[in-house]
Amino acid sequence: MTDTTGRPAALPAQPAPGEPVTAHGIPEISALAGRDLGTSRWREVTQDLIDLFAAVSGDHQWIHTDPERAALGPYGGTIAHGYMVLSWGIPMFAELLQVSGVGMALNYGVNKVRFPAPVPVGSRVRLHAAVTSVEPVKRGGVAMSRAFTFELAGSAKPACVAETLTHFYP
């Protein structure tokens, strides 16, 4: 990949532990293809967060919102909505990559999502992300494909895995 002058694009610098990778402009974003960005901080799943998500999404299924009934169910208590965990991808990804020097970034979609493990109240989730590819799109932009794995503390299975897409434009 080259920059706008035809020179090879510089790879964004490796950040200090706990700091996000920074990419300035389309050439540095393009240079991220194939890069593992590491993991975000852990986020605790609480019943209050589940109830708020239920209120916003309209998904009030008892397995999420009724602790007494859920205690007798298959997981021994309430579990987070899968889409609630997936929605954490945006703020968690911002802990891993900070982009500047672009005019616009759009969440373009998700190619594949799976929820391999239930996420009980009281558990902790974090995002592990990698940039799988960066391809040119119209108007001088690029499409970044990202592999998201939402790790569940103490579980061999992740809470969620997803291939997400973001477009960046100059």
Side-chain angles (χ1 to χ4, degrees), residues 75-132:
Y75 306 113
T78 54
I79 60 170
H81 303 76
Y83 285 104
M84 182 183 97
V85 173
L86 180 61
S87 76
W88 289 351
I90 300 305
M92 288 178 164
F93 190 72
E95 294 177 30
L96 305 177
L97 176 65
Q98 292 292 308
V99 173
S100 62
V102 298
M104 180 171 55
L106 293 173
N107 292 314
Y108 190 71
V110 180
N111 283 342
K112 183 177 179 180
V113 179
R114 298 291 182 268
F115 304 106
V119 181
V121 168
S123 57
R124 296 181 312 137
V125 175
R126 70 178 177 185
L127 174 66
H128 179 240
V131 178
T132 54

Side-chain angles (χ1 to χ4, degrees), residues 36-105:
D36 186 322
L37 299 176
T39 56
S40 70
R41 294 185 305 255
W42 291 103
R43 178 177 279 195
E44 184 177 356
V45 176
T46 67
Q47 190 62 52
D48 286 344
L49 287 172
I50 291 171
D51 291 343
L52 286 169
F53 188 84
V56 170
S57 68
D59 182 352
H60 296 279
Q61 184 180 11
W62 63 267
I63 197 70
H64 306 300
T65 60
D66 187 340
E68 289 180 19
R69 184 174 177 192
L72 303 173
Y75 306 113
T78 54
I79 60 170
H81 303 76
Y83 285 104
M84 182 183 97
V85 173
L86 180 61
S87 76
W88 289 351
I90 300 305
M92 288 178 164
F93 190 72
E95 294 177 30
L96 305 177
L97 176 65
Q98 292 292 308
V99 173
S100 62
V102 298
M104 180 171 55

